[in-house]
Amino acid sequence: MEHLCLCLVLCAAMLTLGKILKIMFQDRKKSTADVPPGSDGFPVIGETLQFMLSVNSGKGFYEFVRSRRIRYGSCFRTSLFGETHVFLSTTDSARAVLNNESGMFTKRYIKSIGELLGDQSLLCASQHHHKILRSRLINLFSKRSTALMVRHFDELVVYALRGWEHRGTVVLLTDLLQITFKAMCKMLISLEDEEELGSMQKDVGFVCEAMLAFPLNLPWTRFHKGIMARGRVMEMLEKIIRERRNEINSQNNHHEDFLQQLLAVDNDTPKLTDAEIKDNILTMIIAGQDTTASALTWMIKYLGENQKVLDILIAEQSQLTNKASNKPFLELEDLSEMPYASKMVKESLRMASVVPWFPRLVLQDCEMEGLL
């Protein structure tokens, strides 16, 4: 029996060693002059651990890219989550990939993001499916919907500012995440119950934390917690959809939100399945909450460092306040009265991108920056 166990261990060790040697040989074979320079890291896991440590550190994602750009140049390769990634950081390369006039690229997110958002999500759908989803979801951003969103967002901000007056310290990003989360839930599904909002925000937080976690679905991992949280969010959305349909059938409906428009019968546009609705509501909550809160945090940081810009902005807002003194909250038309604020927003987004990573899948061999 002992000999049998020893043989099995030796066989497993030899197979593992053979696989590692094969990977190492392949890596050496790939490292020719015509491919991007870089490191494939450890066998199988690549540089995933270094990437995760960087993302979760105070320096963030940029540090991972910065250190390798110094070492290898503006185009480098690495291995993350079991796949080869090539990072491009020049304006011309980014434009070529994102505009995709050559048709050589398509969207592709890492496995963990796909499993957490769902394969029906706009971010994870195939090219054909993406067009169908986009044609259905783009109609949600009507003038009326946007006007309602502006009013509700302003109401939330005013309420928050009143609370800040009596607090010694405000952790800006934390409070802004709460404001943007409430705004997205109101706009998408008219969810305002504090207990349900708290539960949903906690679970969405777990999903966000797991999106760049190592996709190991074991009970103690962050990825597993995210998968479990996604399940609870799907259950809550399913319950809301079921209740909303009952209201529609009983003609006792008073909601003006995205979900209502998605459930409305429209013969001119393809109807979305419940799975598509749930995956994309979760996607829009995460996208709207996180990116907006991050952008606002950066803007306030930059304003604190540029007194002249802040003074001009205050003057513009004061002028608008005098003109709209009879209104309890901002309206959509008021945004056109903020040309300087609009420029400030765009400049802040230029200086600190809130979505620094735009993964695309290469469909065929191509040459970028003189490299294959």
Side-chain angles (χ1 to χ4, degrees):
M1 188 68 180
E2 288 179 3
H3 289 297
L4 178 60
C5 290
L6 182 60
C7 287
L8 289 173
V9 170
L10 285 171
C11 286
M14 288 175 68
L15 286 171
T16 304
L17 182 61
K19 189 172 183 180
I20 290 171
L21 288 171
K22 183 180 177 182
I23 292 169
M24 291 173 71
F25 177 77
Q26 287 175 339
D27 287 345
R28 203 176 294 120
K29 187 179 176 182
K30 284 193 291 184
S31 298
T32 56
D34 61 344
V35 300
S39 170
D40 295 313
F42 296 108
V44 183
I45 64 171
E47 293 192 299
T48 305
L49 294 179
Q50 295 95 315
F51 178 79
M52 297 303 305
L53 288 171
S54 179
V55 167
N56 295 315
S57 71
K59 294 181 179 179
F61 167 85
Y62 290 106
E63 181 60 22
F64 179 87
V65 176
R66 188 189 69 83
S67 61
R68 283 155 184 77
R69 184 175 178 180
I70 291 172
R71 194 182 313 157
Y72 302 116
S74 61
C75 177
F76 66 88
R77 81 172 192 282
T78 182
S79 177
L80 302 174
F81 303 99
E83 295 185 6
T84 298
H85 288 67
V86 176
F87 280 80
L88 301 161
S89 55
T90 65
T91 305
D92 289 341
S93 294
R95 185 178 290 116
V97 173
L98 296 177
N99 287 346
N100 195 26
E101 293 174 357
S102 62
M104 291 189 294
F105 305 95
T106 187
K107 292 189 305 84
R108 174 72 175 272
Y109 282 79
I110 60 176
K111 181 184 177 184
S112 56
I113 292 179
E115 289 192 29
L116 289 159
L117 294 182
D119 56 10
Q120 304 297 313
S121 165
L122 192 66
L123 294 181
C124 305
S126 64
Q127 198 164 3
H128 174 69
H129 191 204
H130 183 272
K131 287 182 179 179
I132 296 172
L133 288 172
R134 188 174 59 188
S135 66
R136 190 70 177 94
L137 296 173
I138 198 70
N139 296 326
L140 302 178
F141 295 91
S142 64
K143 186 176 180 180
R144 179 173 176 78
S145 295
T146 309
L148 288 169
M149 181 179 69
V150 168
R151 175 190 169 87
H152 185 65
F153 201 93
D154 191 43
E155 189 176 350
L156 286 169
V157 170
V158 170
Y159 179 79
L161 288 173
R162 287 172 183 162
W164 290 358
E165 289 177 353
H166 309 291
R167 285 164 58 180
T169 302
V170 174
V171 181
L172 196 60
L173 182 59
T174 302
D175 279 40
L176 290 176
L177 282 169
Q178 192 161 12
I179 291 171
T180 53
F181 181 80
K182 287 182 176 180
M184 292 306 297
C185 286
K186 170 68 176 177
M187 180 178 69
L188 294 170
I189 53 178
S190 296
L191 184 64
E192 294 182 275
D193 181 87
E194 287 297 328
E195 187 176 339
E196 290 182 331
L197 275 170
S199 176
M200 174 86 88
Q201 186 172 15
K202 186 177 179 181
D203 282 333
V204 169
F206 283 135
V207 173
C208 289
E209 288 176 4
M211 285 174 71
L212 286 179
F214 198 82
L216 190 62
N217 197 1
L218 296 173
W220 61 85
T221 63
R222 195 165 55 175
F223 183 69
H224 178 79
K225 289 179 181 177
I227 292 292
M228 293 296 101
R230 169 188 157 78
R232 292 190 293 271
V233 171
M234 292 296 105
E235 286 177 9
M236 182 178 287
L237 291 177
E238 195 171 315
K239 174 176 170 283
I240 293 170
I241 291 172
R242 188 167 58 249
E243 290 173 350
R244 191 67 62 84
R245 282 206 174 100
N246 291 336
E247 289 178 4
I248 293 172
N249 293 334
S250 63
Q251 297 183 336
N252 184 29
N253 180 58
H254 56 276
H255 296 288
E256 293 182 292
D257 55 24
F258 279 21
L259 177 59
Q260 194 63 30
Q261 294 182 56
L262 289 173
L263 293 175
V265 177
D266 187 350
N267 295 324
D268 295 330
T269 53
K271 187 177 179 182
L272 297 184
T273 65
D274 283 5
E276 289 171 330
I277 291 173
K278 288 186 292 183
D279 282 358
N280 284 287
I281 284 178
L282 174 60
T283 299
M284 286 191 281
I285 287 175
I286 291 173
Q289 176 203 19
D290 200 55
T291 55
T292 308
S294 297
L296 287 168
T297 303
W298 280 110
M299 289 173 207
I300 294 169
K301 175 190 183 294
Y302 292 138
L303 283 173
E305 297 170 350
N306 294 272
Q307 187 62 44
K308 183 180 177 181
V309 174
L310 180 58
D311 290 341
I312 298 172
L313 190 65
I314 289 172
E316 182 180 80
Q317 294 298 301
S318 298
Q319 190 176 0
L320 179 62
T321 300
N322 294 331
K323 290 174 74 173
S325 57
N326 60 330
K327 300 177 184 177
F329 299 104
L330 283 175
E331 294 179 1
L332 182 61
E333 293 73 23
D334 295 324
L335 299 184
S336 61
E337 302 289 323
M338 305 180 191
Y340 192 80
S342 177
K343 291 175 183 177
M344 184 272 296
V345 169
K346 291 174 182 176
E347 179 64 4
S348 296
L349 290 172
R350 184 191 70 80
M351 291 179 67
S353 173
V354 294
V355 187
W357 193 21
F358 296 92
R360 293 293 185 270
L361 179 69
V362 187
L363 298 175
Q364 63 189 67
D365 287 350
C366 63
E367 193 171 304
M368 303 288 289
E369 300 184 25
L371 296 165
L372 183 64

